[in-house]
């Protein structure tokens, strides 16, 4: 397990780097290296980086070997961590699908746009059309963007990827347990009845083909795998390969997918020009028992704003730019990729839209810290919790007795956790720290008020 206790102050100083070699690499990067390399470096600097975001569905914090899992093998994702950066405190924007995706693609809290629930095949709304997506933003610098996988931000024409800045789309319109479930290419249905057995493989092949076709131009590849969301499917090649049943087998195939992407980039000499991210949209769907992932050391899972629902395994790799073996133990968020990609591509942030994410470039390059260290937690648009630094405060909860689709959770009073020393949120420090709790409450509500007037939910 990578997670180690440490003094939180370290967060504000430097992210821990595991190897001397990495430190040297970082210094080399900052100082520019020897003169003989300058020409090549300058050439590389002129080239806009490619971005790849591999976004799994309902993958838990305890589902990868590099996060401590011993019953699944994830050598390719582990390689991303060992040759790149592993985030121990990376938050999704929501514990459910559609708002999480809205946050990732816009860099904004989904409550700002009323994406407070999940879209269904009966929905007639989607990500509001005045929102700017990462793909919209990157168009300005001539990027080609493709999405291969689960969209889940509205399936009517105006909400679909090609109308949201993407040049290519192949995949399913919503979660893989919703029906009818067609494959869509561009704006047209390509297959009305699909066999999910081959879904991970097919989306991987489409993604590899996209990389091949766009190798000479900057691209953004968004690969939102529908797995390991239930119902689980895996090809015969991966059946029975893990020690965690079908769920583990599915994770093995997702890891294979990552390996295919990396291999193609290596083959095309694109690894040094590509930032690759691997993450999850929310925590594991625990009520699905052995078809669910594991939250590992974290409390609860999907549908809840405990860290098991919100903190997601996230690694990123960029050969020659991110020092290998880096662990980032401070807060970061899925909201951050929008401003990070903008910074790396040299695109100013839109001045008429409030972006909630923060540029992670200093963290990736190991030159500084993320500007800002707080995060608001919402459930279906309702503010439930707040984290700043090592403290997380959670509002009282009336309890949920359980349903076939959602775990039971007992009622609780206000909760205050030191999530640095107690990542499992086991020890409530509220009663002995009332003053601190009061100030955190005030800060949380200040941050919430700063969002301004929020629209009603538009998920219908
Ligand atoms: Mg999900």
């Amino acid at each position: 397990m990578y997670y180690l206790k440490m003094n939180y102050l370290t967060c504000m100083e430097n992210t821990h780097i595991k190897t001397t070699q990495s430190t040297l690499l970082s210094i080399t990067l900052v100082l520019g290296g020897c003169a003989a390399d300058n020409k090549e470096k300058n050439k590389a600097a002129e080239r806009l980086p490619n971005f790849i975001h591999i976004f799994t569905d309902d993958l838990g914090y305890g589902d990868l070997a590099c996060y401590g899992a011993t019953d699944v093998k994830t050598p390719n994702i582990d390689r991303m961590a060992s040759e790149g950066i592993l985030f121990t405190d990376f938050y999704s924007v929501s514990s459910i699908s559609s708002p999480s995706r809205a946050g990732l693609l816009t860099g904004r809290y989904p409550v700002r746009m009323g994406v407070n629930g999940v879209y269904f095949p009966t929905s007639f709304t989607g990500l509001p059309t005045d929102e700017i997506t990462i793909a919209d933003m990157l168009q300005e610098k001539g990027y080609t963007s493709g999405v291969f996988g689960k969209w889940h931000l509205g399936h009517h024409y105006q909400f679909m990827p090609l109308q949201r800045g993407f040049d290519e789309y192949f995949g399913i319109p919503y979660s893989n347990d919703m029906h009818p479930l067609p494959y869509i290419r561009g704006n047209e249905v390509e297959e009305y009845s699909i066999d999910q057995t081959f879904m991970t493989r097919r989306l991987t092949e489409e993604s590899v083909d996209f990389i091949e076709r766009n190798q000479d131009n900057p691209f953004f590849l968004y690969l939102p795998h529908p797995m390991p969301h239930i119902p689980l499917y895996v090809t015969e090649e991966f059946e029975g390969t893990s020690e965690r049943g079908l769920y583990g087998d599915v994770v093995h195939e997702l890891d294979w997918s990552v390996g295919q992407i990396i291999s193609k980039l290596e083959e095309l000499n694109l690894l040094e020009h590509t930032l690759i991210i691997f993450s999850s949209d929310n925590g594991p769907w625990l009520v699905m028992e052995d078809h669910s992932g594991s939250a590992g050391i974290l409390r609860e899972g999907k549908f809840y704003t405990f860290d098991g629902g919100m903190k997601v395994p996230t690694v990123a790799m960029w050969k020659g730019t991110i020092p290998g073996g880096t662990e980032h133990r401070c807060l970061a968020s899925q909201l951050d990729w929008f401003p990070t990609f903008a910074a790396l591509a040299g695109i100013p942030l839109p001045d008429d839209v409030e972006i909630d994410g923060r540029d992670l470039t200093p963290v990736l390059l190991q030159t500084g810290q993320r500007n800002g260290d707080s995060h608001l937690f919402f459930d279906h648009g309702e503010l439930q919790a707040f984290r700043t630094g090592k403290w997380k405060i959670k509002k009282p909860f009336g309890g949920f007795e359980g349903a076939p689709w959602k775990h039971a959770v007992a009622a609780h009073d206000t909760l205050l956790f030191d999530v640095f020393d107690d990542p499992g949120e086991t020890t409530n420090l509220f009663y002995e720290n009332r003053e601190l709790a009061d100030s955190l409450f005030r800060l949380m509500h200040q941050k919430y008020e700063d969002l301004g007037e929020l629209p009603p939910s538009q998920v219908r």
Side-chain angles (χ1 to χ4, degrees):
M1 186 65 203
Y2 275 103
Y3 203 102
L4 300 171
K5 287 183 180 179
M6 63 181 293
N7 186 329
Y8 176 70
L9 284 176
T10 312
C11 232
M12 308 310 291
E13 294 160 5
N14 275 307
T15 300
H16 177 69
I17 302 175
K18 284 202 292 193
T19 66
T20 308
Q21 189 184 4
S22 300
T23 310
L24 290 174
L25 182 60
S26 175
I27 292 166
T28 304
L29 186 81
V30 173
L31 299 181
C34 66
D37 290 342
N38 279 350
K39 197 172 170 189
E40 198 54 40
K41 283 179 184 298
N42 289 340
K43 199 171 148 196
E46 284 167 19
R47 182 171 180 163
L48 291 169
N50 304 310
F51 303 114
I52 297 179
H53 196 298
I54 304 169
F55 203 36
T56 53
D57 198 342
D58 293 5
L59 185 80
Y61 197 81
D63 287 338
L64 301 176
C66 54
Y67 278 81
T70 55
D71 50 1
V72 290
K73 302 280 181 284
T74 50
N76 294 295
I77 302 164
D78 299 348
R79 176 186 170 186
M80 288 182 64
S82 63
E83 295 183 21
I85 183 169
L86 180 146
F87 293 86
T88 62
D89 286 54
F90 197 96
Y91 284 98
S92 179
V93 194
S94 171
S95 72
I96 52 175
S97 177
S98 298
S100 175
R101 287 152 210 271
L104 163 65
L105 288 182
T106 64
R108 287 155 51 78
Y109 283 115
V111 287
R112 287 192 185 273
M113 58 203 83
V115 181
N116 296 348
V118 163
Y119 297 108
F120 284 87
T122 49
S123 296
F124 53 90
T125 55
L127 179 70
T129 54
D130 55 354
E131 291 294 329
I132 301 167
T133 69
I134 288 176
D136 286 322
M137 181 261 293
L138 292 174
Q139 271 182 341
E140 191 176 315
K141 279 286 179 99
Y143 276 76
T144 300
S145 296
V147 46
F148 302 94
K150 168 178 165 179
W151 179 241
H152 217 188
L153 288 171
H155 62 280
H156 287 259
Y157 178 84
Q158 65 272 32
F159 305 117
M160 292 290 281
L162 296 201
Q163 286 65 249
R164 312 314 305 268
F166 287 93
D167 301 283
E168 296 188 28
Y169 169 50
F170 177 78
I172 60 175
Y174 18 72
S175 297
N176 67 328
D177 61 343
M178 297 177 179
H179 295 277
L181 192 68
Y183 272 142
I184 296 178
R185 187 178 297 280
N187 287 316
E188 305 294 331
V189 172
E190 184 167 288
E191 290 177 36
Y192 284 95
S193 178
I194 70 176
D195 183 349
Q196 293 197 43
T197 305
F198 303 101
M199 196 153 58
T200 297
R201 175 167 295 184
R202 183 138 183 213
L203 296 171
T204 303
E205 289 168 354
E206 292 276 347
S207 298
V208 166
D209 180 56
F210 174 83
I211 294 170
E212 175 102 37
R213 286 185 286 106
N214 290 284
Q215 59 182 290
D216 295 326
N217 299 303
F219 63 79
F220 167 42
L221 166 60
Y222 175 42
L223 173 49
H225 277 296
M227 295 288 152
H229 187 289
I230 59 100
L232 301 171
Y233 286 90
V234 72
T235 56
E236 204 177 339
E237 188 184 333
F238 291 93
E239 265 178 35
T241 57
S242 82
E243 293 169 35
R244 211 200 289 173
L246 178 58
Y247 185 90
D249 298 347
V250 169
V251 174
H252 280 191
E253 191 156 34
L254 291 168
D255 182 74
W256 165 85
S257 174
V258 170
Q260 294 297 298
I261 301 286
I262 293 175
S263 294
K264 177 52 69 175
L265 293 169
E266 269 177 332
E267 177 195 322
L268 301 175
N269 290 318
L270 290 177
L271 266 189
E272 292 187 349
H273 304 292
T274 307
L275 168 60
I276 319 166
I277 297 145
F278 178 91
S279 191
S280 174
D281 68 336
N282 50 253
W285 200 349
L286 297 175
V287 78
M288 297 301 163
E289 300 181 339
D290 64 348
H291 280 203
S292 155
S294 161
I297 56 171
L298 305 180
R299 181 170 176 177
E300 262 306 319
K302 178 172 178 169
F303 294 115
Y304 287 102
T305 49
F306 287 106
D307 273 6
M310 302 289 293
K311 200 184 274 185
V312 285
T314 302
V315 296
M317 173 180 172
W318 186 355
K319 188 179 177 185
T321 295
I322 298 177
T326 303
E327 284 175 17
H328 186 67
R329 297 173 183 167
C330 309
L331 187 151
S333 149
Q334 215 74 257
L335 296 169
D336 297 341
W337 296 121
F338 187 109
T340 302
F341 292 0
L344 291 168
I347 302 169
L349 290 178
D351 51 14
D352 54 347
V353 181
E354 207 58 57
I355 300 293
D356 297 304
R358 296 288 180 264
D359 178 11
L360 288 178
T361 305
V363 173
L364 300 178
L365 302 185
Q366 291 294 290
T367 55
Q369 293 297 313
R370 180 184 188 267
N371 178 22
D373 196 23
S374 64
H375 194 68
L376 294 164
F377 298 69
F378 295 93
D379 178 25
H380 288 83
E382 177 196 320
L383 177 66
Q384 287 198 341
F386 173 65
R387 175 170 167 183
T388 184
K390 67 179 185 178
W391 298 109
K392 180 173 173 186
I393 191 148
K394 203 164 184 314
K395 293 166 74 173
F397 177 63
F400 183 75
E401 62 185 16
W405 53 277
K406 185 175 173 180
H407 242 193
V409 162
H412 61 73
D413 196 355
T414 300
L415 301 175
L416 175 66
F417 300 114
D418 172 348
V419 288
F420 232 78
D421 282 339
D422 177 25
E425 298 172 298
T426 59
T427 307
N428 185 10
L429 303 173
F430 173 63
Y431 298 104
E432 63 244 53
N433 294 280
R434 295 297 288 265
E435 253 182 63
L436 171 65
D438 285 349
S439 68
L440 288 169
F441 255 111
R442 279 196 296 276
L443 187 55
M444 171 172 70
H445 283 286
Q446 183 59 54
K447 297 275 184 190
Y448 182 69
E449 293 298 318
D450 289 348
L451 297 179
E453 195 176 337
L454 301 174
S457 178
Q458 54 81 272
V459 177
R460 289 185 286 277

